[in-house]
């Protein structure tokens, strides 16, 4: 269940409603040198991650972050605001973090503590005993950020440039795009990203950052949690990073790209997606589907006819409880636009879900009757 729905129905997360936000801006200020040794600079620059050295915040407004998290919807990867949906897009990642948004996805495998020790020995240049002692102190397959920084300094003094670069890059991503609620650790499996320093530039680091952020927003949104447009940016589909798969739906926040919002397609079912990598490579095919139904907006708030009426039916755009009585059961959302009768809405949802599962096309005669039934159900 999403936090926004609980807040709307009078069930908030507890007495301390603001979230605890992990930020390493102050630490990075002291750990990032003004200039890296030239032997390291070329690797760091080619990796596509050099911008992370200067993009962290020293101060974070936790109340503002909490307010946005309360409006996050997992199904649509967007914030549901009173005027419509907004989201953090690949365009934002590119403009704010200056990370490459083209490249391949990579699926880091989970590693055991024994493998974490072996990786530290092979790629961070530490002894077997030192690696075992450190991983044991982390109580899992992790490395401490402070330990990585100390290794970086040690290897620079010893002119061990590959070890120093790996320790530095792992410390850098662990303090920024991979920062988590442990505050001090980074997963050991991410070291696999930097085993070949000449190849890590091929990853879509922007997508990595966005998937990770979406995942953390989704976790934090649980009410019981304590814690000129580039063509590529019009990609509509799923993004993945390891075992995490999230929907990426820029058609739900077109005002951010200068277009008028329209009633979008239902949320993507990423569990049914099988060719995410193929879809990502052929992203240009989704452009017409995303931009085509819309027109250029003259004002940021301009929307197509019927959009706000639809939006207020399917979302919780206002956090003010609709009543002051005892909290009532939170209803399950129905995202198909059109049917006002609950039974017809359910029929419409079930038919559409099946058609998506079998990848049916509307011009396929085999599914003509089902599409006709879908249109009939949506008209009631």
């Amino acid at each position: 269940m999403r936090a926004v729905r609980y807040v709307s129905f009078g069930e908030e997360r507890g007495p301390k409603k603001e979230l605890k936000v992990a930020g390493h801006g102050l630490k990075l200020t002291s750990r990032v040198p003004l200039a890296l040794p030239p032997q390291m600079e070329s690797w760091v620059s080619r990796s596509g991650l050099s911008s992370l050295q200067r993009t962290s915040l020293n101060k974070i407004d936790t109340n503002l972050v909490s307010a946005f998290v309360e409006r996050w919807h997992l199904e649509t990867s967007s914030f549901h605001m009173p005027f419509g949906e907004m989201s953090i897009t690949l365009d934002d990642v590119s403009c704010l973090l200056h990370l490459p948004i083209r490249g391949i996805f990579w699926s880091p495998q989970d590693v055991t503590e024994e493998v974490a020790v072996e990786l530290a020995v092979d790629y961070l240049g530490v002894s077997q005993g030192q690696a075992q002692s450190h991983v044991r102190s982390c109580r899992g397959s992790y490395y401490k950020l402070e330990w990585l920084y100390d290794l970086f300094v040690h290897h620079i003094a010893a002119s061990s440039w590959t070890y120093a670069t790996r320790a530095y890059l792992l410390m850098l991503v662990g303090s920024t795009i991979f920062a988590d609620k442990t505050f001090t650790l980074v997963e050991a499996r991410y070291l696999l990203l930097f085993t070949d320093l000449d190849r890590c530039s091929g990853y879509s680091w922007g997508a990595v950052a966005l998937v990770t952020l979406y995942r953390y927003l989704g976790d934090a949104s649980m009410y019981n949690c304590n814690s000129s447009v580039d063509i590529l940016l019009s990609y509509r589909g799923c993004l993945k990073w390891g075992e995490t798969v999230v929907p990426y739906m820029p058609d739900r926040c077109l005002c951010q790209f200068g277009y008028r919002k329209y009633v979008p397609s239902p949320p993507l079912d990423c569990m049914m997606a099988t060719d995410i990598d193929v879809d990502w490579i052929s992203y240009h095919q989704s452009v017409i589907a995303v931009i085509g139904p819309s027109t250029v907006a003259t004002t940021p708030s301009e929307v197509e006819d019927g959009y706000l009426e639809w939006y207020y039916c399917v979302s919780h755009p206002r956090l003010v409880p609709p009543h002051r009585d005892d909290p009532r059961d939170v209803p399950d959302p129905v995202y198909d636009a059109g049917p006002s009768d609950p039974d017809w809405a359910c029929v419409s949802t079930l038919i559409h879900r099946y058609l998506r599962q079998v990848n049916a096309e509307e011009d396929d005669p085999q599914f003509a009757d089902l599409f006709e039934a879908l249109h009939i159900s949506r008209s009631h």
Side-chain angles (χ1 to χ4, degrees):
M1 296 294 184
R2 298 174 304 279
V4 63
R5 294 171 62 205
Y6 278 94
V7 173
S8 180
F9 283 84
E11 300 178 31
E12 300 192 60
R13 65 173 75 246
K16 189 174 178 60
K17 298 177 178 59
E18 71 277 6
L19 296 170
K20 192 174 183 179
V21 180
H24 298 282
L26 290 174
K27 293 180 182 177
L28 279 181
T29 300
S30 62
R31 291 175 179 173
V32 171
L34 294 177
L36 290 169
Q39 296 89 339
M40 292 180 58
E41 182 60 43
S42 60
W43 273 323
V44 173
S45 178
R46 292 201 309 271
S47 72
L49 297 168
S50 59
S51 63
L52 294 179
Q53 300 174 103
R54 315 292 177 199
T55 53
S56 290
L57 297 175
N58 293 336
K59 294 182 179 180
I60 300 174
D61 189 333
T62 56
N63 289 304
L64 180 62
V65 173
S66 298
F68 271 94
V69 168
E70 300 288 12
R71 294 180 175 277
W72 182 256
H73 283 234
L74 288 167
E75 299 89 341
T76 59
S77 294
S78 61
F79 302 102
H80 286 218
M81 312 297 286
F83 49 82
E85 295 177 60
M86 296 183 67
S87 189
I88 304 166
T89 68
L90 289 169
D91 181 47
D92 299 319
V93 174
S94 177
C95 292
L96 298 177
L97 299 183
H98 307 289
L99 294 175
I101 54 177
R102 287 184 172 85
I104 62 173
F105 293 141
W106 188 73
S107 298
Q109 63 189 59
D110 291 327
V111 299
T112 62
E113 292 187 23
E114 290 74 17
V115 174
V117 170
E118 294 174 5
L119 289 174
V121 172
D122 293 340
Y123 299 109
L124 294 177
V126 299
S127 67
Q128 185 81 14
Q130 183 184 2
Q132 287 178 337
S133 176
H134 179 76
V135 172
R136 191 179 302 116
S137 71
C138 295
R139 299 182 179 181
S141 303
Y142 300 94
Y143 306 129
K144 293 179 181 178
L145 296 173
E146 184 178 2
W147 184 70
L148 292 172
Y149 175 71
D150 291 340
L151 287 180
F152 158 64
V153 174
H154 169 77
H155 287 311
I156 283 183
S159 299
S160 301
W161 306 118
T162 54
Y163 292 146
T165 303
R166 291 192 188 105
Y168 180 74
L169 288 175
L170 188 56
M171 182 270 296
L172 186 62
V173 296
S175 301
T176 52
I177 58 176
F178 291 148
D180 59 26
K181 61 184 179 181
T182 65
F183 284 84
T184 59
L185 306 175
V186 61
E187 293 184 50
R189 61 176 176 160
Y190 294 142
L191 181 55
L192 294 169
L193 287 161
F194 306 112
T195 56
D196 187 341
L197 292 173
D198 293 316
R199 292 186 57 191
C200 59
S201 61
Y203 301 128
S204 175
W205 290 111
V208 170
L210 197 61
V211 170
T212 306
L213 179 60
Y214 280 5
R215 183 182 71 185
Y216 291 156
L217 280 169
D219 292 343
S221 69
M222 299 300 180
Y223 89 108
N224 58 349
C225 174
N226 297 319
S227 50
S228 57
V229 179
D230 188 309
I231 289 179
L232 178 58
L233 307 176
S234 299
Y235 165 79
R236 183 184 190 274
C238 297
L239 301 177
K240 75 172 185 178
W241 175 243
E243 70 282 359
T244 303
V245 180
V246 298
Y248 181 70
M249 306 177 68
D251 55 324
R252 304 185 77 99
C253 52
L254 285 176
C255 65
Q256 295 172 227
F257 301 103
Y259 289 85
R260 298 168 66 182
K261 291 182 180 179
Y262 57 85
V263 177
S265 302
L268 296 169
D269 187 351
C270 287
M271 297 301 294
M272 301 303 301
T274 56
D275 296 317
I276 298 175
D277 295 275
V278 174
D279 294 339
W280 172 250
I281 293 172
S282 57
Y283 62 83
H284 59 277
Q285 296 178 0
S286 69
V287 175
I288 296 177
V290 173
I291 300 297
S294 185
T295 56
V296 175
T298 56
T299 64
S301 60
E302 190 174 6
V303 297
E304 300 285 351
D305 292 341
Y307 169 79
L308 287 177
E309 290 80 1
W310 165 84
Y311 178 64
Y312 272 75
C313 287
V314 302
S315 182
H316 294 271
R318 300 192 184 281
L319 296 182
V320 178
H323 54 80
R324 298 296 178 182
D325 301 325
D326 294 333
R328 56 194 172 107
D329 293 337
V330 180
D332 292 326
V334 177
Y335 282 95
D336 279 318
S340 56
D341 182 274
D343 292 334
W344 280 110
C346 181
V347 171
S348 177
T349 300
L350 292 174
I351 295 175
H352 193 270
R353 182 185 303 167
Y354 174 78
L355 292 172
R356 285 207 318 270
Q357 289 174 351
V358 299
N359 296 318
E361 298 291 341
E362 193 156 2
D363 57 355
D364 189 337
Q366 181 179 354
F367 300 100
D369 290 341
L370 279 176
F371 274 106
E372 179 64 22
L374 177 63
H375 296 322
I376 293 174
S377 67
R378 284 177 167 174
S379 66
H380 281 67

